[in-house]
Amino acid sequence: METPREPHFFKPLLPGFQSGVAIPLDFYSKHIQGAEINKPWKLRSDASDQIWEVIREGRTLTKGWKEFTEAHDLRIGDIVIFKHEGDMVFHVTPFGPSCCDIQYTHPHIVKEEADADDAPTFSYDYCFLAEVTATNQKDDKMFLPVEAMRCGALNQQCKEVKLVNKEGKSWTARFGFSESDGAYYISRGWRKFCRDNRCTNGDLFVFNVVGDGTTTPLLCVCPERKECTELLIKHFSRIDGSIASTSRN
């Protein structure tokens, strides 16, 4: 397969994104690995003539990234596309959660805001634990916890979601609500997500739900964050408790 002349990757912005952004492994292996370690990335955008230098530490952009995000008023739920123009120069295009590119007032970087009455309220503080099982892979159907009903990013009018892994790659899946179970579910895409990510039965994912209740929600695999770790600890605590109870009986 021929390599794109301007290879690119995209990243959804999750809570904590200002501290650094991880470069997808596939992109890193093909286009970055082996490059000068201390050579900074140069980021540019259509919002300004300024060039931002950002330090790369391994697969993570760190020093200088926060300044870039603040200058462009990037927010949780935005999606950023990095297009490699060569010699570690990247053209960066931010998109809002509705997947429309963000408009700025040029030459000053001032994000154009929607009217107050139209401004969406994004939910990004709901995480849930999903386990890969033989049944949900066979049925191509994975149920969300009942608690997901309280998540503002999800509703019964929603017909699809995007599953996003840690590398920023996304899969579209059908989204629905089961009246009999009283819970949301993901189908027609869950099995492919599991297969493409080489999942095996028993694998666990912590998904962070990002959306505004009107646009297609993103279900993003959590990076290493305190909330995600706590969910996993609770999960394994329940398992250990069950084993101990069975042993006593």
Side-chain angles (χ1 to χ4, degrees):
M1 183 178 294
E2 187 177 347
T3 301
R5 297 181 64 179
E6 289 189 335
H8 59 276
F9 67 92
F10 81 93
K11 295 293 294 185
L13 301 184
L14 302 177
F17 72 88
Q18 287 190 327
S19 63
V21 61
I23 304 165
L25 179 59
D26 187 57
F27 184 92
Y28 177 81
S29 301
K30 291 180 180 178
H31 307 291
I32 306 300
Q33 195 168 25
E36 296 179 42
I37 297 177
N38 296 323
K39 188 169 186 176
W41 282 27
K42 295 182 178 180
L43 307 184
R44 69 180 193 86
S45 72
D46 291 336
S48 169
D49 294 330
Q50 182 176 344
I51 301 293
W52 284 265
E53 290 197 352
V54 179
I55 301 299
R56 174 177 64 84
E57 298 180 21
R59 288 201 299 117
T60 304
L61 299 181
T62 56
K63 187 177 180 181
W65 168 246
K66 181 178 180 180
E67 288 73 17
F68 179 86
T69 65
E70 290 177 343
H72 290 77
D73 193 20
L74 297 181
R75 305 173 185 178
I76 294 168
D78 288 344
I79 300 170
V80 182
I81 295 179
F82 295 79
K83 183 181 293 184
H84 189 199
E85 298 181 327
D87 198 27
M88 296 301 105
V89 176
F90 288 79
H91 182 273
V92 182
T93 305
F95 288 79
S98 62
C99 295
C100 295
D101 58 331
I102 296 172
Q103 302 298 316
Y104 295 91
T105 303
H106 191 76
H108 306 289
I109 301 184
V110 179
K111 199 174 190 177
E112 291 188 357
E113 301 288 349
D115 292 337
D117 292 340
D118 298 328
T121 301
F122 290 98
S123 169
Y124 54 83
D125 57 357
Y126 176 69
C127 293
F128 69 92
L129 186 68
E131 181 175 2
V132 178
T133 68
T135 300
N136 64 33
Q137 286 198 84
K138 177 177 178 294
D139 296 342
D140 195 12
K141 191 173 189 178
M142 191 275 292
F143 280 90
L144 277 64
V146 175
E147 292 79 8
M149 293 293 295
R150 297 195 294 266
C151 177
L154 306 173
N155 57 62
Q156 295 183 35
Q157 284 68 50
C158 178
K159 301 303 180 185
E160 70 175 25
V161 294
K162 288 190 179 296
L163 305 173
V164 184
N165 68 6
K166 288 184 179 180
E167 305 301 327
K169 185 176 180 181
S170 68
W171 289 257
T172 299
R174 181 183 174 185
F175 186 76
F177 177 75
S178 169
E179 294 284 353
S180 58
D181 295 289
Y184 294 125
Y185 62 85
I186 299 167
S187 64
R188 297 185 187 177
W190 170 249
R191 183 191 298 138
K192 180 171 175 55
F193 173 83
C194 294
R195 183 176 64 244
D196 290 352
N197 285 279
R198 300 180 180 178
C199 299
T200 57
N201 295 336
D203 283 353
L204 300 172
F205 288 101
V206 177
F207 285 101
N208 187 186
V209 184
V210 180
D212 63 355
T214 59
T215 56
T216 299
L218 303 178
L219 272 59
C220 305
V221 175
C222 273
E224 299 302 322
R225 294 173 50 223
K226 178 182 178 182
E227 294 87 345
C228 303
T229 303
E230 288 176 347
L231 275 176
L232 291 171
I233 290 174
K234 288 180 181 178
H235 173 77
F236 288 114
S237 294
R238 286 196 297 269
I239 292 178
D240 293 340
S242 298
I243 294 174
S245 176
T246 302
S247 299
R248 287 193 296 270
N249 295 334

